[in-house]
Amino acid sequence: MLRDYGRLIAFSIGLLVGIQLPGFVDQYAKRVEAHYLEAQRSFSGFRATADRYFNGSIPALLAHHQKSGDRVFIDEARNIEALQTRLDALAAESAALRTSLLKRIIHMVFAGDREILQETFDAFSYTVPLSPPAIACGVLIGCSIALGLEALLLGVARLIGVAMVRSRQRHRAPVRDTRRP
């Protein structure tokens, strides 16, 4: 009976966590998009300068800044390069999030932007959406946790049972043969 309650509790926790997953993925994607738009806005002045003086070539703008003898321009080149790198990373992250829910979840777990994931987690607003993807995630994760707990408990019980049988066999007194020859 206790095992049944444990399984129900594990399933319920998994269900509640799973229902949150699509909402978390959505909030993460919106954060990535917001960071991307902000980076584009910040980079737009450099892009306009590159368009005006270097036929739109950001590398040519960077080279011009780096060749300059002015420390301010040399430092600014590093800032432009860092902003371009961030913009490229956010563009790739945004593109990776335009797929199915399962692929987005896998991407977030293994290759998501850790800084934005932490921001999303810190500001996550818990909801109980009853959308089909949320329900499917909830049931899938709930069943997985319940089955995993059940397998773990059965494995532990089996190990204890085997250990007890072996212990009994070792501690049994040898059986004497009472028959006479």
Side-chain angles (χ1 to χ4, degrees):
M1 183 167 117
L2 187 59
R3 193 172 84 190
D4 292 335
Y5 282 121
R7 191 175 339 136
L8 284 173
I9 290 169
F11 175 78
S12 298
I13 290 170
L15 179 69
L16 291 173
V17 168
I19 283 176
Q20 299 302 311
L21 199 53
F24 185 82
V25 171
D26 183 57
Q27 287 185 26
Y28 174 76
K30 287 176 180 171
R31 270 185 193 282
V32 167
E33 209 53 44
H35 279 275
Y36 182 56
L37 290 172
E38 185 64 32
Q40 281 182 318
R41 206 170 290 123
S42 296
F43 198 71
S44 65
F46 298 117
R47 189 171 306 283
T49 301
D51 288 342
R52 192 172 320 129
Y53 298 108
F54 301 99
N55 294 323
S57 173
I58 296 296
L61 174 67
L62 286 171
H64 180 77
H65 274 66
Q66 290 164 343
K67 287 180 196 172
S68 165
D70 190 342
R71 289 292 307 155
V72 173
F73 282 114
I74 293 170
D75 285 347
E76 188 174 66
R78 277 189 237 126
N79 294 333
I80 295 169
E81 202 167 22
L83 192 53
Q84 176 69 54
T85 301
R86 180 71 172 155
L87 191 59
D88 292 344
L90 289 167
E93 189 70 10
S94 181
L97 295 171
R98 287 190 217 112
T99 59
S100 69
L101 178 61
L102 180 60
K103 287 181 181 177
R104 285 183 286 170
I105 291 169
I106 291 169
H107 171 77
M108 284 175 46
V109 169
F110 295 108
D113 183 300
R114 296 294 166 217
E115 183 181 320
I116 297 175
L117 276 169
Q118 188 61 50
E119 281 178 26
T120 305
F121 185 75
D122 291 343
F124 183 64
S125 56
Y126 296 92
T127 59
V128 182
L130 295 179
S131 64
I135 293 169
C137 279
V139 170
L140 181 67
I141 291 175
C143 287
S144 298
I145 289 175
L147 290 172
L149 181 65
E150 181 76 14
L152 179 69
L153 291 175
L154 286 173
V156 168
R158 185 161 287 174
L159 286 174
I160 290 172
V162 167
M164 289 175 67
V165 166
R166 286 184 181 164
S167 176
R168 280 190 210 132
Q169 288 174 347
R170 271 189 256 135
H171 291 95
R172 276 192 192 157
V175 178
R176 291 185 200 171
D177 190 5
T178 56
R179 295 179 292 170
R180 289 198 168 140

